[in-house]
Amino acid sequence: MAVRTLEIECPMCKGAITVDADTGEVLSHKEYKKAVKSFDEFMASEKNKSAELEAKFAAAKEAEKNKMELLNKKFEAAKKNKDLKDPPSGILWD
């Protein structure tokens, strides 16, 4: 009698598992071989990461600059209107 087997992909490591269909016993496991990047591919991906980080940093820096300008506007409006309880239109007090 021939052994019936099932071959499935391991959900953890993406390797191939051969299982006995009758007993559920694992008969073998073949490791998933991940393709190795070349040095040039690695350097290109790192260069892209560096450019992305620079862009994110520039965006964060611009957001902080805008935040400081908004706070200065609020401060100046508060100095001009010391007795004002409600904010002038166009300025949200947070």
Side-chain angles (χ1 to χ4, degrees), residues 9-21:
E9 181 181 290
C10 177
M12 300 296 281
C13 70
K14 307 292 185 213
I17 300 174
T18 305
V19 179
D20 186 332

Side-chain angles (χ1 to χ4, degrees), residues 22-76:
D22 296 326
T23 64
E25 182 180 345
V26 176
L27 300 175
S28 68
H29 177 268
K30 295 176 191 166
E31 277 189 46
Y32 175 73
K33 298 290 182 182
K34 198 175 194 182
V36 178
K37 289 184 182 180
S38 72
F39 183 73
D40 293 332
E41 290 172 333
F42 172 76
M43 290 303 291
S45 69
E46 288 301 308
K47 187 175 183 181
N48 289 342
K49 284 182 189 177
S50 178
E52 289 173 12
L53 288 175
E54 289 286 331
K56 286 181 182 179
F57 180 73
K61 189 175 179 182
E62 188 65 28
E64 284 299 313
K65 179 182 166 193
N66 292 340
K67 195 184 295 184
M68 186 58 129
E69 288 175 7
L70 181 62
L71 287 173
N72 284 334
K73 283 182 186 178
K74 290 179 183 181
F75 181 69
E76 291 301 321

